[in-house]
Amino acid sequence: MKVIELNNICKAFGDNKANHNVCFNLKKGEIHALLGENGAGKSTLMNILYGLYSCDSGDIVINGDTVEVENPSKAIEHGVGMVHQHFMLVPQLSVTQNIFLGMKETGLFLKMDELKKKVAELNESFGFNVDPSAVIWQLPVGVQQKVEILKALMRDAKILILDEPTAVLTPHEVKELFGSIKKLTKSGYSIILITHKMEEVLDYCDRVTIMREGQVVDTLLVSEADHDILAKAMVGRDVCLDRIIEPQESGEVLLKLEGVTVLNDKKLPAVKNLSLEVARGEILGIAGVDGNGQLELGEAIVGLRKIEEGTMNLIGQNTTHAKPRTMMDLGMAHIPDDRHKKGLVLDFSIKENLILGSQRDEIYHNGLLMNYAKVKEEAERMVEEFDVRPRNIELTGAMLSGGNQQKVILAREVSRNPEVLIALQPTRGLDIGAIEFVRGKIIEERKNNKAVLLVSTDLDEILTLSDRIAIMYKGEIIGIVPPETPVEEIGLLMGGIKNKKPKGGEPDESQV
Amino acid sequence: MEVLQLTNFLAAAVRMAAPLLLASLGLVISERAGIINIGVEGIMLMAAFAGYAGSKLAGGYWYGLMVAILVSIAIISVFAITTIKYKSQQVIVGAALNMFCAGLSSFLYRLIFYNTGRFDEGIAAASFPRISIPVLSKIPILGPVLFNHNVLVYFSFVMVAVLWIVINKTSLGLKIIAAGEHPKAADSLGINVLHVRYLATIFSGIMIGIAGAYLSIAQASSFGEGMTAGRGFIAMAVVILGKWSPIGALLGALFFGAATALQLLFQITGVEVPRNIIMMIPYIATVVAVLIVSRNKVGAPSALGVPYEKS
Ligand SMILES: Nc1ncnc2c1ncn2[C@@H]1O[C@H](COP(=O)(O)OP(=O)(O)OP(=O)(O)O)[C@@H](O)[C@H]1O
Ligand SMILES: [Mg+2]
């Protein structure tokens, strides 16, 4: 039985056809994956089904009835729930308040104790353990994810749309999430899952629909698909994400930290007495489970967070307390972990975002005024080289899909021709084609004899790119190992277990 | 200070705090919903005029209050429609309203009252009388300070409690907070963000209207051009000082009320300081207090001043 049928959905943003004659259906009790490149139109399609966007034409059939979904209330009424790509939680409110926000059933006066009990019951029946009284901003993203799901379940949604639910989860959290999802399908729920991770499709889903450039390419049974078929259908060519780095001599040290201590937002030490070196022509990968101080380390290096103790040296200069501007002038480039908050000015056009930080360069201004003709020319070149889609440099950053936003940042930072590149979670949320592209650019920087520091919680990424792997645990580097090290050993180090002396590589510099 | 003088000072502080409290309670709600309305100064001034005109022409302070509220709602509706529906910049519309209201109130005052012979029998309009609450007003110090005021003062106290409950204990409060913190999340749960914002803004209009009427027909019994003298802006400062909570607004308003009362006290007791400097006290207090509070991250609603648009 089909619970959802989308027929010939069309939606254009200006002259960008985000969805063009899209047909899609969902059977009761299945997990149906929606796969496609960044900007293929997956989120748009689901936002239409959920009533957040209105479609230009086409119809929506839910449980056999053709319905108008003008707003999310209508979708909720028809039993559709959605967990959005960018979380839709009010950070200042508690779990329970977020779950019951906007629900008519609560009446005007909130009986908090009763509501909390309901959350606890729902928790129990789906095997979650979220504290109903916790305030959202204090919760790790994995838990926030569950709150999003609880929100939909509390509204009695039997059809759940999950838009990239695993992009920010640790492998362990991913496993847990899919455990819960499987349980849901057994009790009659139907799931649409948007993801960029092939393994999730192959391991957990029943059918998969692949989209490209706003259209559906194909819908297949997962049992008849494999990695290569999917990859090819998605990007229209073969994709290789294997390690393809050639050995290469590294040169002089460009970035050096000694005994660095950094505090987190709660003013507790996040990085403790840490030392590291990155040399010309090498990629130092920093592995570790999210929340072990990698982020704070990255921010400290680029000058966005204060170095409390210790020293930092960049290309022979002491930059311990230097401003980001100084670091940039010295030749540092930075791909931040949060593209919305730190990477782009969302309200600026692509063109402006592309030259942000270089606006003082002589080529972009003649004395007082900006030389917008030149800006435009350069922006157009970058958009072409980095394959930003759509190729319209006048769109604002907010109008781009996640993957294309990332390409804009990459284009800006790499075009600056830096000596040292700091890449924080550079491929989070990207499609495999874009991942291949971004990683290719990082490898190119190494080939051009630049120093690269890569921070990623994706161990595969670290293994594919690094010359040396430093594992961070609780703010310290507890081991530096070569990339050939068995994954199990690195996994143990990531969990803080240090049973073997790391063989080869640099000696362990941290003081454990 | 003698007991009597202290009592008088505190009672004056409460009287001076009331209009600030009324307006800032309105602003707490609209700002919580994501609307920043710097037009409050002008709207309050128009309401003060309307309150006076209503009371004087219709012959009763209740009429005055009603006219003030209606005028305030009318003006704030213009603000709401242009900023919420047509997504104009809130600060710009607010600034424009300030200029418009300052001009309009003077113009109408002269047109209707000056040179018309209406002042022949005096300029005073009927104004809200003091009502001593039986028993309670007899308590030493506390009685005269808290329980010997006009009804609008009592109303403002009651509203502190009512709004605290609305914000913290009702589903409506959750909607308001969500509309101001994360409107998209609210929208995704079927909450009509625009409706919530309209509702909050109109409510603030009612409160600002009452605050304006308080100035002309409760605190005084006449209208003077520009008589708000920055109280609308101070009410905005009170909201910041009170961290966007009704109880905080109460404390903030009392603080500024005290600063104003202090200024009056100095004037009466004739301290050897130029009068102009004494009159600056409440304004200086505003600047200093807001600077101090906003040193650590203030908890302004995240979407404050940002129009909500859907695709
Ligand atoms: N609000 C908007 N205004 C203008 N264009 C938009 C808007 N939202 C999406 N688009 C455009 O529509 C297209 C589809 O975007 P969509 O977000 O659906 O992609 P996606 O498949 O979800 O990609 P990703 O995997 O990166 O999340 C993109 O070209 C994007 O630039
Ligand atoms: Mg998407």
Side-chain angles (χ1 to χ4, degrees):
Chain A
M1 192 191 111
K2 301 213 168 102
V3 286
I4 299 264
E5 280 175 78
L6 301 176
N7 298 320
N8 299 310
I9 302 285
C10 295
K11 169 80 178 174
F13 295 104
D15 48 15
N16 174 11
K17 290 181 182 162
N19 279 170
H20 189 64
N21 278 332
V22 175
C23 298
F24 174 90
N25 66 64
L26 178 69
K27 290 182 190 158
K28 194 174 162 86
E30 76 168 338
I31 305 181
H32 192 144
L34 192 51
L35 206 59
E37 289 178 286
N38 296 120
K42 308 175 298 287
S43 297
T44 303
L45 184 67
M46 291 303 115
N47 281 329
I48 289 171
L49 171 58
Y50 190 63
L52 268 177
Y53 290 175
S54 54
C55 59
D56 302 335
S57 65
D59 50 45
I60 300 174
V61 183
I62 302 180
N63 294 319
D65 303 319
T66 305
V67 292
E68 293 290 330
V69 191
E70 300 123 349
N71 52 43
S73 316
K74 278 277 157 54
I76 294 166
E77 230 169 77
H78 291 293
V80 179
M82 178 157 177
V83 174
H84 300 267
Q85 185 170 2
H86 304 283
F87 287 162
M88 296 283 191
L89 296 168
V90 184
Q92 294 76 2
L93 296 179
S94 74
V95 169
T96 306
Q97 286 174 320
N98 264 285
I99 290 176
F100 284 98
L101 179 62
M103 276 182 79
K104 299 196 177 58
E105 291 79 351
T106 57
L108 182 60
F109 290 96
L110 301 170
K111 301 184 191 69
M112 264 331 220
D113 292 334
E114 232 169 79
L115 299 183
K116 276 181 195 161
K117 225 164 80 199
K118 276 193 192 161
V119 174
E121 281 165 18
L122 197 64
N123 249 329
E124 198 149 318
S125 50
F126 292 102
F128 290 177
N129 51 346
V130 182
D131 172 10
S133 314
V135 177
I136 295 296
W137 67 266
Q138 297 175 325
L139 295 174
V141 278
V143 181
Q144 294 189 15
Q145 182 69 268
K146 287 180 183 159
V147 179
E148 283 280 22
I149 295 175
L150 286 174
K151 241 163 77 178
L153 295 176
M154 189 62 85
R155 284 167 176 75
D156 231 358
K158 292 281 188 259
I159 301 158
L160 280 182
I161 306 166
L162 307 177
D163 194 349
E164 296 192 33
T166 58
V168 290
L169 300 190
T170 63
H172 177 72
E173 288 170 330
V174 171
K175 243 201 190 120
E176 268 188 24
L177 177 70
F178 278 104
S180 316
I181 293 178
K182 277 278 176 207
K183 240 185 253 165
L184 287 173
T185 52
K186 289 217 179 75
S187 39
Y189 288 73
S190 321
I191 313 279
I192 302 175
L193 175 82
I194 300 182
T195 180
H196 288 296
K197 305 205 175 119
M198 298 297 175
E199 310 79 59
E200 291 172 7
V201 177
L202 295 170
D203 293 353
Y204 301 107
C205 298
D206 302 300
R207 285 196 301 159
V208 49
T209 292
I210 300 129
M211 287 182 75
R212 193 162 78 218
E213 290 172 8
Q215 286 173 299
V216 169
V217 179
D218 206 355
T219 299
L220 345 148
L221 289 171
V222 168
S223 53
E224 291 166 0
D226 66 22
H227 193 285
D228 292 345
I229 293 177
L230 293 179
K232 193 144 188 194
M234 229 172 99
V235 286
R237 61 183 163 86
D238 288 313
V239 176
C240 170
L241 292 181
D242 298 340
R243 185 179 168 94
I244 40 162
I245 306 196
E246 283 150 28
Q248 152 179 342
E249 282 290 306
S250 55
E252 88 255 31
V253 171
L254 290 186
L255 174 68
K256 184 169 179 166
L257 301 188
E258 268 176 307
V260 163
T261 296
V262 179
L263 302 183
N264 63 15
D265 291 338
K266 293 177 190 148
K267 302 280 173 235
L268 300 170
V271 176
K272 299 168 200 157
N273 193 14
L274 178 144
S275 304
L276 62 77
E277 291 182 350
V278 194
R280 247 185 214 294
E282 77 158 347
I283 300 177
L284 174 68
I286 298 202
V289 178
D290 213 0
N292 275 288
Q294 306 99 308
L295 210 79
E296 287 84 356
L297 175 65
E299 289 184 346
I301 292 176
V302 300
L304 290 175
R305 198 174 272 276
K306 196 171 152 215
I307 295 179
E308 303 288 334
E309 274 168 49
T311 57
M312 168 178 166
N313 244 283
L314 179 66
I315 321 183
Q317 304 256 1
N318 183 336
T319 54
T320 313
H321 300 297
K323 295 203 172 75
R325 173 93 252 163
T326 320
M327 311 249 203
M328 266 170 62
D329 290 346
L330 278 172
M332 180 186 277
H334 166 213
I335 300 173
D337 61 301
D338 186 329
R339 40 183 174 260
H340 284 180
K341 293 206 183 96
K342 290 181 255 170
L344 295 171
V345 181
L346 288 172
D347 292 334
F348 275 18
S349 64
I350 297 178
K351 169 179 84 184
E352 288 162 331
N353 271 302
L354 277 170
I355 63 135
L356 208 61
S358 310
Q359 70 277 11
R360 300 194 318 177
D361 282 10
E362 308 244 302
I363 55 162
Y364 292 130
H365 66 76
N366 11 355
L368 270 180
L369 301 176
M370 292 294 292
N371 178 354
Y372 272 107
K374 183 71 186 168
V375 171
K376 198 162 164 222
E377 188 191 313
E378 280 299 300
E380 242 139 34
R381 188 189 55 74
M382 289 191 233
V383 164
E384 198 59 45
E385 184 188 337
F386 286 81
D387 188 29
V388 178
R389 278 180 256 177
R391 293 259 198 290
N392 180 353
I393 56 169
E394 303 298 336
L395 295 180
T396 64
M399 290 177 185
L400 291 182
S401 74
N404 285 296
Q405 290 175 339
Q406 191 70 355
K407 286 184 192 166
V408 169
I409 297 171
L410 192 73
R412 176 181 70 213
E413 298 300 318
V414 172
S415 304
R416 205 173 274 152
N417 197 17
E419 296 299 321
V420 178
L421 176 66
I422 312 294
L424 310 177
Q425 304 281 17
T427 63
R428 185 183 267 179
L430 298 201
D431 70 58
I432 51 169
I435 292 176
E436 184 189 41
F437 182 84
V438 171
R439 290 187 185 168
K441 284 287 173 190
I442 292 177
I443 292 171
E444 217 175 284
E445 289 302 292
R446 169 185 181 271
K447 210 181 263 161
N448 294 338
N449 241 344
K450 308 295 167 63
V452 180
L453 179 77
L454 168 74
V455 174
S456 178
T457 46
D458 180 351
L459 187 54
D460 278 337
E461 177 152 288
I462 296 278
L463 290 171
T464 349
L465 293 178
S466 312
D467 292 293
R468 294 184 297 141
I469 300 174
I471 296 104
M472 255 184 106
Y473 178 73
K474 295 204 168 155
E476 301 178 50
I477 292 182
I478 77 163
I480 297 188
V481 299
E484 307 83 54
T485 314
V487 178
E488 296 72 35
E489 195 178 316
I490 298 180
L492 284 176
L493 284 169
M494 284 169 71
I497 301 166
K498 200 179 170 188
N499 52 351
K500 280 188 228 160
K501 265 246 152 291
K503 13 172 197 173
E506 291 265 306
D508 183 7
E509 288 170 331
S510 68
Q511 280 134 44
V512 185
Chain B
M1 224 186 289
E2 307 162 31
V3 175
L4 182 65
Q5 213 172 19
L6 178 69
T7 317
N8 282 344
F9 167 72
L10 290 176
V14 171
R15 273 200 308 279
M16 297 293 147
L20 298 176
L21 179 57
L22 287 163
S24 61
L25 286 175
L27 294 177
V28 163
I29 296 299
S30 58
E31 292 200 9
R32 269 301 182 80
I35 301 288
I36 184 127
N37 176 11
I38 68 166
V40 53
E41 172 76 14
I43 299 173
M44 203 162 146
L45 182 58
M46 266 308 287
F49 169 74
Y52 172 73
S55 176
K56 181 87 178 152
L57 299 179
Y61 44 85
W62 287 111
Y63 291 110
L65 181 68
M66 241 157 54
V67 177
I69 291 175
L70 289 177
V71 165
S72 178
I73 289 178
I75 302 173
I76 215 160
S77 300
V78 174
F79 173 83
I81 291 168
T82 48
T83 60
I84 299 173
K85 179 149 186 229
Y86 296 106
K87 331 276 178 210
S88 307
Q89 290 273 326
Q90 295 168 14
V91 172
I92 293 175
V93 178
L97 277 184
N98 282 339
M99 287 184 263
F100 173 73
C101 291
L104 186 67
S105 60
S106 295
F107 170 70
L108 290 177
Y109 182 56
R110 291 177 196 195
L111 184 74
I112 301 174
F113 295 101
Y114 249 68
N115 315 329
T116 55
R118 279 209 169 83
F119 283 158
D120 289 350
E121 71 286 13
I123 57 168
S127 63
F128 284 89
R130 275 190 206 179
I131 301 172
S132 304
I133 303 215
V135 188
L136 290 179
S137 62
K138 296 286 178 292
I139 307 173
I141 304 185
L142 223 52
V145 171
L146 290 180
F147 301 111
N148 188 19
H149 291 290
N150 68 65
V151 66
L152 299 182
V153 177
Y154 302 134
F155 172 75
S156 71
F157 291 156
V158 173
M159 284 313 279
V160 172
V162 170
L163 293 182
W164 184 85
I165 292 171
V166 169
I167 289 177
N168 294 297
K169 300 282 169 194
T170 69
S171 53
L172 180 62
L174 286 187
K175 287 185 194 174
I176 293 173
I177 296 170
E181 294 288 354
H182 198 333
K184 195 149 189 201
D187 191 9
S188 80
L189 293 173
I191 295 170
N192 191 326
V193 176
L194 305 190
H195 281 184
V196 173
R197 289 187 166 183
Y198 275 123
L199 196 75
T201 311
I202 299 295
F203 171 78
S204 77
I206 297 175
M207 296 300 286
I208 295 166
I210 300 174
Y214 184 98
L215 294 180
S216 60
I217 53 171
Q219 191 163 298
S221 50
S222 61
F223 176 76
E225 289 175 28
M227 81 182 299
T228 41
R231 282 194 187 75
F233 297 125
I234 295 187
M236 294 185 76
V238 166
V239 176
I240 298 173
L241 204 61
K243 307 223 150 141
W244 289 266
S245 95
I247 293 175
L250 173 64
L251 299 177
L254 285 174
F255 171 76
F256 288 118
T260 316
L262 195 67
Q263 169 223 322
L264 293 177
L265 190 72
F266 282 168
Q267 283 192 40
I268 295 166
T269 51
V271 182
E272 290 291 313
V273 182
R275 182 166 170 271
N276 291 340
I277 292 191
I278 291 176
M279 285 180 64
M280 281 163 63
I281 292 175
Y283 303 95
I284 292 173
T286 313
V287 175
V288 173
V290 171
L291 280 180
I292 290 173
V293 170
S294 49
R295 258 176 19 134
N296 15 7
K297 260 198 172 165
V298 268
S302 316
L304 187 60
V306 186
Y308 182 64
E309 238 164 325
K310 109 188 235 163
S311 302

